[in-house]
Amino acid sequence: LKIPKFKRIPKHIAIIPDGNRRWAVDNGLEKYEGYQYGINPGLEAFDLCTKLGVEEFTFFGFTQDNAKRPKEQVVEFTKACIASVEALSKKNADLVIVGKSDSDVFPKELLPYTKRTKFGNGKTRVNFLVNYGWQWDLNYGYERTNENGNMISNIASNDIPRVDLVIRWGGRYRLSGILPIQTVYSDLYVIDEMWPAFKPEHIYEALEWYQTQDVTLGG
Amino acid sequence: LKIPKFKRIPKHIAIIPDGNRRWAVDNGLEKYEGYQYGINPGLEAFDLCTKLGVEEFTFFGFTQDNAKRPKEQVVEFTKACIASVEALSKKNADLVIVGKSDSDVFPKELLPYTKRTKFGNGKTRVNFLVNYGWQWDLNYGYERTNENGNMISNIASNDIPRVDLVIRWGGRYRLSGILPIQTVYSDLYVIDEMWPAFKPEHIYEALEWYQTQDVTLGG
């Protein structure tokens, strides 16, 4: 497959991989069985973004709210997160996992990566949100504005910069609490297909659209 | 015009009235001349939402970032905000203006409404964002989480509840900093036409779409 050329590539893409459960049901499986089919799409999307020159890649693993779902679903999406990081460790990535790690639902296997870790040449920055919560993020730490009115924040995701483009699979036009501070000016592109049905063309489509958008950052 | 029936009406709609300047240029006017054509659409949208049973209506007036635009634009969108509130005062509304009011760009005429004010029977709650800034909002006041991990926040917009549906005119798929806390789970519906080209059908279209969406609130 030939990778198209783009005029303007977002520096930072965030992925909302929604639709695993709907895909499973549509394919005659139990809801919880969908998550394992979401692992390869994430790795493919990462490889593609790296090739395209995207510098930073954020992946919405699971949230504190998601962790309240039926046990067998929680088990499966947790396993999918662990398997994804394992596969990522064989690639070129600079990984950090952001999420509430002092919690039973946070997988022990991923604890080392709550500190940034380079794999290979560490080319692409990856922010993997695991047991993430927007309230937890915003409340993590805090200092008031300085005398110039600038926010000096200690949000948990402080190390993650502004997101240029959010690509969401599964047809919903919402951010669902992904990095509320970093996404205030993000463009949202929605793919109707479910995440396990990921195709490289989805990313191309999103990037073709993105390059027609202006960047005003609220101005 | 007959108002259609909907199965499910959002309690709280937020309007992003984008495209005044593009509309002006498309119509052979100067950019700043577009804003005055955005006043009636706002009042029409408000009337329609009231009739439809929407309980709360948030309107993105202008932001602190917008206030850095060329003077003649700032003058015009400020006048449009004042005129809108004047017209609203003859309707049934429970108005509050949320924004940085201790600033030169905040219109003095609107100062009384930084406290909630009932007009007529005060039926529909209206939150009008004037010289609003998401950083200002989040930094307004703050207390840390309580022992249960719940956020006890004194954000400036604390009185404004969760937004169910954001309708944005002007074709951009972004939130542009409108109430980041209240919009984490909002559905975003985008109208390609510019705000001054508002038609009731735009609202109907958004509501038809909205009733096909699920409400998971991140779960």
Side-chain angles (χ1 to χ4, degrees):
Chain A
L1 191 74
K2 206 173 162 261
I3 298 183
K5 290 262 176 253
F6 297 96
K7 286 182 300 190
R8 194 164 65 92
I9 288 282
K11 272 194 180 176
H12 185 180
I13 289 180
I15 300 278
I16 303 181
D18 195 23
N20 293 282
R21 294 179 297 171
R22 284 176 281 160
W23 182 89
V25 172
D26 290 348
N27 286 276
L29 302 171
E30 296 295 327
K31 282 182 180 176
Y32 72 87
E33 294 178 290
Y35 293 110
Q36 61 184 296
Y37 296 91
I39 301 170
N40 278 334
L43 297 166
E44 269 192 77
F46 168 80
D47 286 342
L48 201 52
C49 284
T50 297
K51 280 182 199 154
L52 286 160
V54 174
E55 294 172 19
E56 188 141 2
F57 183 86
T58 291
F59 193 86
F60 212 19
F62 69 89
T63 64
Q64 292 178 294
D65 283 331
N66 296 156
K68 293 166 194 152
R69 291 181 184 167
K71 184 80 192 294
E72 70 272 18
Q73 291 181 30
V74 177
V75 167
E76 284 301 310
F77 63 60
T78 303
K79 273 163 61 179
C81 288
I82 297 168
S84 298
V85 169
E86 204 167 278
L88 202 62
S89 72
K90 279 139 199 152
K91 298 177 181 284
N92 296 312
D94 188 5
L95 172 72
V96 70
I97 294 184
V98 176
K100 191 165 177 1
S101 55
D102 56 343
S103 157
D104 287 346
V105 296
F106 190 94
K108 279 181 201 65
E109 295 86 337
L110 299 184
L111 277 172
Y113 309 110
T114 56
K115 284 189 182 143
R116 253 196 204 283
T117 307
K118 274 190 205 295
F119 300 128
N121 70 17
K123 189 183 175 193
T124 308
R125 277 169 60 101
V126 179
N127 313 301
F128 200 170
L129 307 184
V130 172
N131 198 33
Y132 175 86
W134 64 269
Q135 287 168 308
W136 165 81
D137 188 0
L138 300 187
N139 282 287
Y140 191 73
Y142 200 85
E143 291 172 46
R144 296 296 305 278
T145 52
N146 67 13
E147 66 273 27
N148 301 318
N150 295 319
M151 185 162 70
I152 310 161
S153 162
N154 286 322
I155 56 175
S157 61
N158 211 24
D159 184 42
I160 306 181
R162 182 165 59 75
V163 173
D164 300 302
L165 172 63
V166 176
I167 314 179
R168 180 176 185 131
W169 275 256
R172 303 292 185 224
Y173 286 75
R174 53 180 79 143
L175 291 173
S176 298
I178 186 171
L179 302 171
I181 300 295
Q182 291 89 339
T183 58
V184 289
Y185 303 131
S186 300
D187 280 313
L188 172 65
Y189 191 82
V190 176
I191 305 284
D192 281 332
E193 286 180 79
M194 304 299 142
W195 175 244
F198 171 89
K199 292 186 295 193
E201 287 79 2
H202 294 155
I203 301 268
Y204 302 155
E205 191 187 302
L207 292 179
E208 260 161 48
W209 174 80
Y210 178 76
Q211 63 184 1
T212 67
Q213 304 302 303
D214 61 352
V215 179
T216 67
L217 304 182
Chain B
L1 190 75
K2 205 174 164 262
I3 297 183
K5 289 262 175 254
F6 297 96
K7 286 181 298 188
R8 192 164 67 93
I9 287 281
K11 273 194 178 176
H12 185 180
I13 288 180
I15 300 278
I16 303 182
D18 194 22
N20 293 281
R21 295 180 298 172
R22 283 175 283 159
W23 182 89
V25 171
D26 289 348
N27 286 274
L29 302 170
E30 297 294 327
K31 283 181 179 177
Y32 72 88
E33 294 178 291
Y35 294 110
Q36 61 183 296
Y37 296 92
I39 302 170
N40 278 334
L43 298 165
E44 269 191 77
F46 168 79
D47 286 343
L48 202 52
C49 284
T50 298
K51 279 181 200 154
L52 286 160
V54 174
E55 294 172 20
E56 186 139 5
F57 182 86
T58 291
F59 193 87
F60 212 20
F62 69 89
T63 64
Q64 293 177 295
D65 282 331
N66 297 156
K68 293 168 193 152
R69 290 180 185 169
K71 185 80 191 294
E72 71 272 18
Q73 291 182 30
V74 177
V75 167
E76 284 301 311
F77 64 59
T78 304
K79 274 163 61 178
C81 288
I82 298 168
S84 298
V85 169
E86 203 167 279
L88 201 63
S89 72
K90 278 136 200 152
K91 299 177 181 285
N92 297 312
D94 188 4
L95 172 72
V96 70
I97 293 184
V98 175
K100 191 166 178 359
S101 56
D102 57 343
S103 157
D104 288 346
V105 296
F106 189 94
K108 279 181 201 62
E109 295 87 337
L110 300 184
L111 277 172
Y113 309 109
T114 55
K115 285 189 180 142
R116 254 197 202 283
T117 308
K118 273 190 205 295
F119 299 128
N121 69 16
K123 188 183 176 194
T124 308
R125 277 169 59 102
V126 179
N127 314 301
F128 199 170
L129 307 184
V130 173
N131 198 34
Y132 174 85
W134 64 269
Q135 287 170 309
W136 165 82
D137 188 0
L138 300 187
N139 281 287
Y140 191 73
Y142 200 84
E143 292 172 44
R144 295 297 304 276
T145 52
N146 67 15
E147 66 273 28
N148 301 317
N150 295 318
M151 185 164 68
I152 310 161
S153 163
N154 286 321
I155 57 175
S157 61
N158 212 24
D159 184 42
I160 306 181
R162 184 165 58 77
V163 173
D164 300 303
L165 173 64
V166 176
I167 314 179
R168 180 174 186 133
W169 275 257
R172 303 293 184 223
Y173 287 75
R174 52 179 81 144
L175 291 173
S176 299
I178 186 171
L179 302 171
I181 299 296
Q182 292 88 340
T183 59
V184 289
Y185 302 131
S186 301
D187 279 314
L188 172 65
Y189 190 82
V190 176
I191 305 283
D192 281 332
E193 285 179 81
M194 304 296 142
W195 175 244
F198 171 90
K199 292 186 295 194
E201 286 79 1
H202 293 155
I203 302 268
Y204 302 155
E205 192 187 300
L207 291 179
E208 260 161 49
W209 174 81
Y210 179 77
Q211 64 184 1
T212 68
Q213 304 303 303
D214 60 352
V215 178
T216 66
L217 305 181

